[in-house]
Amino acid sequence: LTVDGVGKVANITHHGFDNGFGIGGYLYIDAIPMVDVDIEAIMLLSPYEFSFSNQIPGSAINNQKFGWADFSGYFTLQKKLFKFSIPLLAKTKLSAGAGVNVHSSIPMISQDMMASVMGGEDNLASGSLDTDELITYLKDNKVSDTGFHIQTGLQFKILMLDSFLYYRQVFADNVIPDAKGFGSLNLRLGMGF
C-alpha cells in the first residue's frame, strides 16, 4: 500500500503468518443411505507482524504485532470409497466428498484501519490507539465469503471412539488475504453413537 504525502504512512508491509491455531466442533451423520453428512465449525487465530514507514527518513516502525481471526462453517456430503475392519478392534473407512463453506474474518492492518483507530491521518505519527474505535472498525469491515470445497480422508472407529484424518481443499476468495483458496490437513477426535 502506497500513500503520497509527508507525515503519512507510505508503506505497510505484512510479514505473513503461519502456525496459527484453532478450535472447532463437528457433527458427523452416517445414518443416511448413500452419503454421510458432515457439519463443522472452526475458529482460527493467527498472530502476524507488520511494519510501516513514513516518507520521513528514519521514521519506520518495524515488526509490530497484530492478530488475524477467522470463523468458518463447513457442510459436506461424503461417499464411502471403501471400508475394512480389524475384527474386534477397529473399523476404517476411506471417503471423499464435497460441500459448501462460509467464512468471516477480521481485516488485515491497512492505512484506513490505522487512520480510523488513531484519530485520523494527521495523528498517525503521534496518535494513540482508541480500543473502542478498533473494535468498531473490525466489526464494520469484516471480510465475509462463501465457497466450496473437496475433501478426502480416513475415518477410524475403535469401539465408541471416532477419529478422522482428512485433507480439505477450499476454494473461496479473500479467506486468506490475497489467495483464492487454501488446503488443510485435519485430525479430529470424537465419540460415536
Side-chain angles (χ1 to χ4, degrees):
L1 178 65
T2 301
V3 177
D4 294 329
V6 175
K8 295 183 180 179
V9 174
N11 192 347
I12 295 177
T13 303
H14 299 121
H15 299 292
F17 55 86
D18 59 0
N19 295 327
F21 54 93
I23 188 166
Y26 70 95
L27 175 63
Y28 187 82
I29 303 168
D30 61 0
I32 302 170
M34 303 292 288
V35 295
D36 296 343
V37 177
D38 187 7
I39 302 167
E40 181 177 10
I42 301 173
M43 182 173 184
L44 299 171
L45 304 169
S46 185
Y48 68 92
E49 292 184 350
F50 69 97
S51 301
F52 68 93
S53 61
N54 291 334
Q55 290 183 345
I56 301 168
S59 63
I61 298 178
N62 295 314
N63 300 331
Q64 299 298 302
K65 293 191 181 288
F66 199 67
W68 179 80
D70 172 71
F71 177 80
S72 301
Y74 297 89
F75 179 83
T76 310
L77 295 177
Q78 297 189 124
K79 177 81 173 142
K80 174 182 66 176
L81 300 178
F82 72 85
K83 183 177 184 177
F84 62 92
S85 61
I86 301 168
L88 301 173
L89 185 58
K91 295 179 185 177
T92 303
K93 176 171 61 172
L94 175 67
S95 61
V100 295
N101 48 72
V102 295
H103 306 271
S104 183
S105 64
I106 64 172
M108 300 286 282
I109 290 282
S110 67
Q111 170 80 15
D112 290 339
M113 180 190 290
M114 292 182 70
S116 294
V117 302
M118 298 181 91
E121 295 272 341
D122 296 333
N123 293 333
L124 290 177
S126 61
S128 61
L129 176 67
D130 183 335
T131 307
D132 293 334
E133 284 296 322
L134 176 62
I135 292 168
T136 300
Y137 184 92
L138 293 177
K139 285 181 184 176
D140 292 346
N141 293 281
K142 70 181 177 183
V143 179
S144 298
D145 199 10
T146 59
F148 70 96
H149 60 273
I150 55 175
Q151 69 184 44
T152 186
L154 292 170
Q155 177 185 14
F156 305 98
K157 284 187 176 182
I158 300 174
L159 301 173
M160 292 185 70
L161 298 176
D162 207 6
S163 62
F164 295 82
L165 178 63
Y166 63 93
Y167 176 80
R168 176 185 289 150
Q169 182 65 43
V170 175
F171 303 94
D173 292 339
N174 301 319
V175 175
I176 302 296
D178 301 323
K180 300 238 182 244
F182 62 94
S184 64
L185 183 62
N186 300 276
L187 174 64
R188 300 191 310 202
L189 302 173
M191 184 75 77
F193 297 102

